């Protein structure tokens, strides 16, 4: 059974041709769980009730979590605007990522396929650059599947908050064991010139002199990337304002502006903007 909530994407046509019944019951169902951050999720009904879940993700970067693979894709099982509630409950990316791992442990996808026929690099998932790659990745374990993605994109897994949460829980090793990879292994290498999101940082705490290491979280917060509206490109559609969990975006004279004081840097606005009018700005002080 397929879940259909994208009427314009061609699923309906394909399902008709193949004689597959599409599930249109997208009401919520409460699922109890034994998570570290969350004890109960409200998920779309198919995610709660289906015996087999095939998790179909895209191979792409993500300005908040570095990359969006099999594990992050499961956030799609949380219905529409409920996603914003989770951003409000878990504004720091470390806690948010731990919640995503709770969700993955709850949904437990049976099989994970990652579409890298055309991937996305740069400031994904909303404003990145599509890149033809021409392959599919697949794995029974969503964490190991994501380790493979991070290897190919060139990320250090422990620097990705979702991977770090999974590593800390002992769900996955720090690097993908070589004997886990099969198929066309010649393709399994770091992709040349892969563009990371501007927000991606390398952990520099070990490079800070020991006496001032206590200040590292504060410094990191000051240097954290932030969304910035490109006024000339903004068409005033209000989609960023509607999705913002902190309600810090206002539209005046058909131009959006952000009150950064209460912005939690979830980048939902960046993801939603239909005309790429929201940029990711890194601090001018650091370039690591
Ligand atoms: S302004 Fe953008 S990044 Fe900041 S809280 Fe709102 S949606 Fe998140
Ligand atoms: S979503 Fe983009 S175009 Fe629409 S109001 Fe926000 S910044 Fe402007």
């Amino acid at each position: 059974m397929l879940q259909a909530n994208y009427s314009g994407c061609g699923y309906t046509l394909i399902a008709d041709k193949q004689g597959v019944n599409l599930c249109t019951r997208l009401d919520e169902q409460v699922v109890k769980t034994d998570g570290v951050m969350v004890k109960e999720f409200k998920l779309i009904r198919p995610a709660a009730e289906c015996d087999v879940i095939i998790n179909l993700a895209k191979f792409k970067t993500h300005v908040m979590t570095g990359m969006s693979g099999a594990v992050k894709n499961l956030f799609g099982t949380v219905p529409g605007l409920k996603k914003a509630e989770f951003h409000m409950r878990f504004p720091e990316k470390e806690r948010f990522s731990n919640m995503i791992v709770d969700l993955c442990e709850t949904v437990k996808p049976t099989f994970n396929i990652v579409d890298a026929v055309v991937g996305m690099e740069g400031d994904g998932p909303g404003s990145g650059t599509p890149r033809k790659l021409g392959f599919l990745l697949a794995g029974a374990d969503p964490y190991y599947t994501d380790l493979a993605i991070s290897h190919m994109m060139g990320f250090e897994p422990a620097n990705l908050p979702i991977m770090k949460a999974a590593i800390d829980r002992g769900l996955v090793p720090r690097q993908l064991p070589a004997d886990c990879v099969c198929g066309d292994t010649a393709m399994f290498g770091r992709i040349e010139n892969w563009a990371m999101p501007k927000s991606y940082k390398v952990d520099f705490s070990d490079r800070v002199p020991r006496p001032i290491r206590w200040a590292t979280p504060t410094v990191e917060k000051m240097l954290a990337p932030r969304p910035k509206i490109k006024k000339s490109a903004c068409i005033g559609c209000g989609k960023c304002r509607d999705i913002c969990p902190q309600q810090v975006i206002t539209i005046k004279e058909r131009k959006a502006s952000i009150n950064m004081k209460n912005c939690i840097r979830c980048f939902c606005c960046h993801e939603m903007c239909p005309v790429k009018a929201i940029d990711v700005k890194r601090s001018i002080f650091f370039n690591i």
Side-chain angles (χ1 to χ4, degrees), residues 87 226-227 240 243-249 258-260 262-270 278:
H87 280 295
R226 58 193 168 80
C240 55
I243 197 75
C244 176
Q246 293 293 90
Q247 300 184 334
V248 293
I249 301 180
I258 303 173
N259 175 358
M260 284 307 300
N262 292 318
C263 169
I264 56 174
R265 303 170 198 226
C266 63
F267 294 102
C268 292
C269 51
H270 174 267
I278 303 182

Side-chain angles (χ1 to χ4, degrees), residues 103-280:
L103 178 62
C104 186
E105 290 298 287
T106 306
V107 175
K108 288 193 185 303
T110 315
F111 197 66
N112 306 276
I113 302 170
V114 182
D115 173 7
V117 176
V118 177
M120 179 176 278
E121 61 182 347
D123 288 338
S127 297
T129 309
R131 180 163 165 181
K132 276 189 188 169
L133 297 167
F135 62 88
L136 296 174
L137 276 169
D141 184 298
Y143 306 107
Y144 279 70
T145 306
D146 279 3
L147 267 188
I149 299 174
S150 63
H151 172 77
M152 296 190 82
M153 289 186 180
F155 287 111
E156 177 59 42
N159 284 344
L160 297 168
I162 295 175
M163 287 278 71
K164 181 168 188 324
I167 291 166
D168 289 350
R169 295 190 198 187
L171 295 166
V172 72
R174 292 178 81 89
Q175 297 293 340
L176 190 67
D179 60 359
C180 285
V181 183
C182 59
D184 190 352
T185 51
M187 292 195 75
F188 186 65
R190 186 168 175 174
I191 299 166
E192 238 176 82
N193 302 321
W194 182 257
M196 301 290 194
K198 287 194 215 78
S199 53
Y200 177 63
K201 71 170 183 64
V202 178
D203 180 14
F204 63 94
S205 56
D206 61 345
R207 294 185 227 160
V208 176
R210 195 176 289 277
I212 58 166
R213 244 176 233 180
W214 57 269
T216 305
T218 314
V219 173
E220 278 195 341
K221 200 171 175 188
M222 280 167 56
L223 300 176
R226 58 193 168 80
K228 188 164 186 329
I229 311 277
K230 289 185 276 183
K231 299 270 182 195
S232 57
C234 174
I235 55 172
C237 68
K239 289 190 173 168
C240 55
R241 174 198 55 201
D242 297 344
I243 197 75
C244 176
Q246 293 293 90
Q247 300 184 334
V248 293
I249 301 180
T250 48
I251 313 283
K252 266 192 202 148
E253 295 170 358
R254 296 191 61 77
K255 297 290 171 192
S257 61
I258 303 173
N259 175 358
M260 284 307 300
K261 196 170 153 224
N262 292 318
C263 169
I264 56 174
R265 303 170 198 226
C266 63
F267 294 102
C268 292
C269 51
H270 174 267
E271 190 171 342
M272 284 304 292
C273 180
V275 292
K276 300 189 177 185
I278 303 182
D279 212 349
V280 180

